[in-house]
Amino acid sequence: MSRAAALPQRRIAAASGRHGGVFPPARVLLILSLAVLGALLVAAMSGSAGLSPRVLLGEWPTPLAWKVWWQLRLPRLLLAALVGAMLAGSGAAMQGLFRNPLADPTLLGLASGAGLAVALWIVLLDGAAGSYGLYGQFLAGFLGALGVCVLVFALGQRQQGQEALFTLLLAGLAINTLAGAMGGVMAFIASDEQLRQLSLWGMGSLSHALWSATLGALIGIPPALWWLLRCARGLDLLQLGELTAHAAGLDAPRLKRRVVLATALGVGLCVALAGIIGFLGLLVPHCLRLWLGPGHRLLLPASMLGGALLLIVADTLARTLASPAEIPVGLLTSLLGGPYFLWLLLKRRVPC
């Protein structure tokens, strides 16, 4: 092995080995997996359609209760886990790809681009879509997120260092503003039924999760997650700079295409299915990076598990805090992520 290839590998191994000095990687993932299972169990037994705690003692539910739980609660739990894992995992991957900790699908406009595409589909095309309306939303969300991701990535490549950070944030701000304005136009011309659908969907909600939607997520999101996990080593090498990563044998353009496509596919599906759920892609990877270190071989799967955990808990609270009414889960995640983002800005403030 050449010295050029050996040096970045030693540096990446050292970076990947910083887990916060508390738990080894296997134990971290085990703890997060058990936490997700525990959250799923609590969510399954909460609310009006929840199973009785006596199920844990071997008492089988009534046929009606089981049917309601199977048709309403189980697909919602699975969708919450998949969407949370995808948003947080894509946030961790985007931060590694752009090499800046403020990159996430929401701030960079991916969610807004996917949301605008879905809004165009709902208002302009859904009336003629027939039984293919749901799958049209999938395709519209994917294409919207892909277009925004390619645009922002191209703009960011034109700058280096701190200027790249400002370029990314300004591009995300411009895309979010434009998508919001176009979404307002769609709301203006929408019918009353379409307007209500757009309003509830724009706040982020899993209340309409049925097997038809969850099956689409089960088909599309796991491949995107697996694709991102396979990019972990390349993202670690990319942190050393493209020249050094190339010397270590990394095909940087191929890695970027894979991350862009996987993120666009996953985020597009999430937005099409659950609406705009903000700050998961920023909050979860940031917290776990402080605890586990920068190595993506651990950070990516931990972020996916952490995102699933957070969205399951948030959705459970959304269903139960104002019962029998339901709070849009996107509002809860924004209430949590907004203050955290402000704290990050204050923490990183540089005196004039």
Side-chain angles (χ1 to χ4, degrees):
M1 179 183 297
S2 66
R3 293 180 60 186
L7 178 59
Q9 289 183 1
R10 288 197 299 268
R11 292 172 63 185
I12 288 297
S16 301
R18 294 197 297 267
H19 313 305
V22 181
F23 299 114
R27 189 171 299 179
V28 169
L29 297 180
L30 177 61
I31 291 173
L32 288 173
S33 299
L34 292 176
V36 171
L37 291 177
L40 286 172
L41 183 61
V42 172
M45 295 186 295
S46 64
S48 58
L51 293 176
S52 170
R54 290 192 295 271
V55 172
L56 299 177
L57 302 177
E59 180 178 333
W60 193 252
T62 64
L64 179 59
W66 174 253
K67 183 178 181 180
V68 171
W69 186 84
W70 174 264
Q71 293 182 352
L72 298 179
R73 183 57 52 81
L74 182 58
R76 180 166 181 161
L77 293 178
L78 293 176
L79 186 60
L82 288 170
V83 170
M86 188 68 241
L87 292 177
S90 62
M94 294 292 288
Q95 291 172 12
L97 184 65
F98 287 103
R99 282 177 284 171
N100 96 61
L102 295 180
D104 91 308
T106 302
L107 291 179
L108 297 184
L110 267 70
S112 296
L116 175 60
V118 173
L120 290 170
W121 174 266
I122 291 174
V123 176
L124 300 181
L125 298 174
D126 197 32
S131 61
Y132 299 100
L134 180 62
Y135 303 103
Q137 284 190 202
F138 294 169
L139 180 61
F142 168 67
L143 293 178
L146 177 62
V148 170
C149 194
V150 171
L151 175 61
V152 172
F153 185 76
L155 292 174
Q157 288 294 101
R158 301 177 62 183
Q159 306 291 339
Q160 298 293 331
Q162 191 70 14
E163 291 184 359
L165 173 62
F166 293 139
T167 300
L168 294 177
L169 293 179
L170 289 175
L173 176 62
I175 292 171
N176 284 326
T177 302
L178 180 61
M182 291 297 296
V185 173
M186 292 299 102
F188 179 76
I189 66 176
S191 64
D192 291 342
E193 181 181 353
Q194 290 173 337
L195 181 59
R196 177 171 175 79
Q197 183 181 358
L198 285 174
S199 299
L200 294 177
W201 171 82
M203 291 185 285
S205 176
L206 301 171
S207 60
H208 299 292
L210 300 174
W211 278 115
S212 57
T214 302
L215 287 176
L218 287 170
I219 293 172
I221 291 180
L225 294 174
W226 176 79
W227 211 350
L228 289 179
L229 288 173
R230 292 200 58 181
C231 297
R233 180 180 178 275
L235 289 172
D236 281 341
L237 289 174
L238 196 62
Q239 307 313 299
L240 303 176
E242 292 195 23
L243 292 179
T244 306
H246 178 72
L250 176 68
D251 186 351
R254 182 169 179 263
L255 173 71
K256 295 172 185 178
R257 288 193 299 268
R258 293 176 65 178
V259 174
V260 166
L261 287 173
T263 300
L265 171 62
V267 172
L269 284 175
C270 291
V271 172
L273 291 168
I276 307 296
I277 300 178
F279 287 105
L280 272 180
L282 174 66
L283 180 64
V284 175
H286 242 292
C287 293
L288 290 177
R289 192 184 299 272
L290 295 175
W291 180 32
L292 305 177
H296 289 83
R297 291 184 182 182
L298 177 59
L299 181 62
L300 275 175
S303 296
M304 293 172 185
L305 290 171
L309 174 63
L310 181 58
L311 192 55
I312 291 169
V313 172
D315 184 57
T316 303
L317 294 175
R319 288 189 289 106
T320 57
L321 285 179
S323 182
E326 183 172 316
I327 304 172
V329 68
L331 298 184
L332 290 182
T333 58
S334 296
L335 288 174
L336 179 64
Y340 179 76
F341 186 51
L342 291 175
W343 174 77
L344 282 179
L345 294 178
L346 292 174
K347 183 180 178 182
R348 295 174 180 273
R349 182 180 59 187
V350 179
C352 295

